[in-house]
Amino acid sequence: MKKTPIIFPLFGYDDLVNKMNESLGVEVGKINLHQFPDEETVVTIHSNVSKRDVIFVASLDKPNTKILPLLFSADTARKLGASKIILISPYLAYMRQDKQFEPGQGITSDYFAKLISIYFDGLITVDPHLHRWHSLNDIYAIPTKILHETGGIAHWIKQNVINPILIGPDVESMQWVSEIAKKSEAPFLILTKTRKGDRSVEISIPNIERYQQSTPVLIDDIISTGVTMIETVRHLRSLNRKPVVCIAVHAVFANHAYQDLLQAGAGKIVTCNTIIHPSNTIDVTNLISDSIKEMIKVS
Amino acid sequence: MKKTPIIFPLFGYDDLVNKMNESLGVEVGKINLHQFPDEETVVTIHSNVSKRDVIFVASLDKPNTKILPLLFSADTARKLGASKIILISPYLAYMRQDKQFEPGQGITSDYFAKLISIYFDGLITVDPHLHRWHSLNDIYAIPTKILHETGGIAHWIKQNVINPILIGPDVESMQWVSEIAKKSEAPFLILTKTRKGDRSVEISIPNIERYQQSTPVLIDDIISTGVTMIETVRHLRSLNRKPVVCIAVHAVFANHAYQDLLQAGAGKIVTCNTIIHPSNTIDVTNLISDSIKEMIKVS
């Protein structure tokens, strides 16, 4: 009989993995990442992984400091006899540098995918930022599975916002936004924006005047610097709209983006717990544990 | 005719590469590592690398934050048509975790070597910490070359210390210490130490009483936490010895090790510039540029 898989949470994902495991009931392994004073890391796996499928759950925001501990964890499990090694990355890094924006530039989304594909036998992630790449298979050489949190977001909107008008960030996200709109039975609009330099953007919301009595709900996959969302909140406030609800899957919040968004007048900021952050409201653990159940059934 | 190689300094090694290049006269390339607000890095190579050998000079102290920018630099050069890609790492990271010190532990020196071997076609480094591994070839799958700075250290001692007695840290370093002793025409002794927990060590210096009029010169390959060296300085001070000279190749100096060593009573701290640090006194640029000259001649 095939041994059951074992899950290791990395980088502070312990609570979520334990919660997810209430319904899953597989073993949560013990792993220790110790950083020496010279800033080198040693990995110790305290559970038996021999001939077992190993699942690492690691969100990859701030990826540069996490990558060696992550790869060494996979190496250590492999050395200790693990069978397949799967990475569940609720937030997948390096998806945005998806073309050469100037000559001589590296396409890091491609290089990052290549590196992950060397160390892992499979990848599961939640709503990755697919813009110019149409599928993770364009860049990843291993089996991948994308989970969508549109259901959870739509459910939250239905439960918590009276008379919402959804506002998506760009035409590329239209399909994603329209799915959430459909599931939450709400209308939606799409922003038009003109970038003015690195951190400034001019926005408008065509047809917003038709929804005078609605609560604007801005939705995006990632809030990083939050430039667009902050500008949109300001714009809506200038039109004397009700407090705006801001929703994103991934709470990247670079630098002071979260505080800036609150100061700009966001009435509520709601994110999924793909990256651990005080704004986490929508829980992705069921989504992830379902994908693990399916994986166990198939293998 | 084969095109000449091109050198790219990374992580603040620009001044040293420019200095080295005064005698070398090859092209120093322009590369930009830009970190986005979400802490992802993009690499841009502004020089022509097509069909040329590319040399990256990157010291790998604090390796976890440097590894992705380093690997992405190699990927970008490769994508732009580089022929061979060589890494010159004056300080090579992850050499010290060279066995499983407890069950379940990863051997990161091996894993790091494997990773570097995927991305580079050759490696040149200065005095790596070879303890349980006898050769870099035990773990690296690419051609490697080790440069020794014993000559520079011996020369500095001869020029700057009257009547020195060299003191090496352990029996494993005996050969290295004895070579410096021979070249500097000075006697040497070897410490005996007993570790007391993580950061404490009890030391003694057999036969030190024979060298009452000599200036103690402590030498080691790396000063990291500096525990042993600090304890040795204290021990020598308690014997009313003259101010002690401390010499190391690699100025890792974790946390406050440098200040601690000065406070313990080190009269002078001298390092090589394999890692850029205020204590750098012995210049390794000639050593490195000679190795590049040789590489050009051979290829």
Side-chain angles (χ1 to χ4, degrees), chain B residues 193-205:
Chain B
K193 54 186 170 183
T194 321
R195 283 216 172 259
K196 311 246 171 198
D198 227 24
R199 285 180 178 251
S200 169
V201 80
E202 199 173 273
I203 65 105
S204 64
I205 313 170

Side-chain angles (χ1 to χ4, degrees), chain A residues 72-252:
Chain A
F72 287 166
S73 297
D75 272 327
T76 303
R78 191 87 65 186
K79 196 80 173 184
L80 295 169
S83 307
K84 273 197 287 188
I85 303 181
I86 307 298
L87 173 62
I88 297 185
S89 188
Y91 175 68
L92 185 58
Y94 278 105
M95 285 303 296
R96 296 199 280 174
Q97 183 73 22
D98 55 3
K99 75 163 209 171
Q100 215 182 36
F101 294 91
E102 57 173 289
Q105 212 171 51
I107 302 176
T108 51
S109 54
D110 189 21
Y111 308 156
F112 189 76
K114 188 182 91 177
L115 178 59
I116 293 294
S117 300
I118 295 171
Y119 283 80
F120 295 92
D121 301 306
L123 169 69
I124 297 175
T125 188
V126 180
D127 286 316
H129 188 77
L130 289 167
H131 189 135
R132 289 180 187 83
W133 304 118
H134 297 109
S135 150
L136 288 179
N137 299 333
D138 290 349
I139 44 178
Y140 281 82
I142 51 176
T144 59
K145 187 176 171 62
I146 294 177
L147 310 176
H148 294 288
E149 204 24 310
T150 47
I153 294 172
H155 182 75
W156 188 90
I157 294 170
K158 269 187 95 164
Q159 295 287 316
N160 294 280
V161 187
I162 298 163
N163 199 13
I165 172 68
L166 310 194
I167 300 167
D170 48 37
V171 286
E172 288 84 0
S173 66
M174 180 118 79
Q175 205 191 332
W176 182 74
V177 174
S178 71
E179 202 178 314
I180 295 172
K182 198 172 142 198
K183 285 182 182 170
S184 60
E185 298 164 18
F188 74 95
L189 298 172
I190 296 293
L191 280 182
T192 62
K193 54 186 172 183
T194 323
R195 282 216 173 260
K196 311 247 171 197
D198 229 22
R199 284 178 181 253
S200 169
V201 79
E202 200 172 272
I203 65 103
S204 65
I205 312 171
N207 302 320
I208 185 69
E209 64 284 355
R210 295 190 200 162
Y211 300 92
Q212 287 299 346
Q213 298 313 314
S214 304
T215 301
V217 178
L218 307 184
I219 52 179
D220 208 338
D221 60 346
I222 302 174
I223 307 177
S224 178
T225 59
V227 168
T228 304
M229 212 174 254
I230 288 165
E231 210 45 60
T232 312
V233 168
R234 285 204 189 110
H235 181 67
L236 286 162
R237 300 294 285 165
S238 75
L239 300 175
N240 287 317
R241 301 301 298 234
K242 299 187 192 182
V244 181
V245 177
C246 296
I247 304 181
V249 180
H250 307 295
V252 173

Side-chain angles (χ1 to χ4, degrees), chain A residues 258-278:
Chain A
Y258 184 60
Q259 288 72 19
D260 293 349
L261 189 53
L262 284 172
Q263 271 176 21
K268 193 160 181 57
I269 304 172
V270 167
T271 60
C272 303
N273 51 2
T274 54
I275 297 171
I276 292 158
H277 187 267

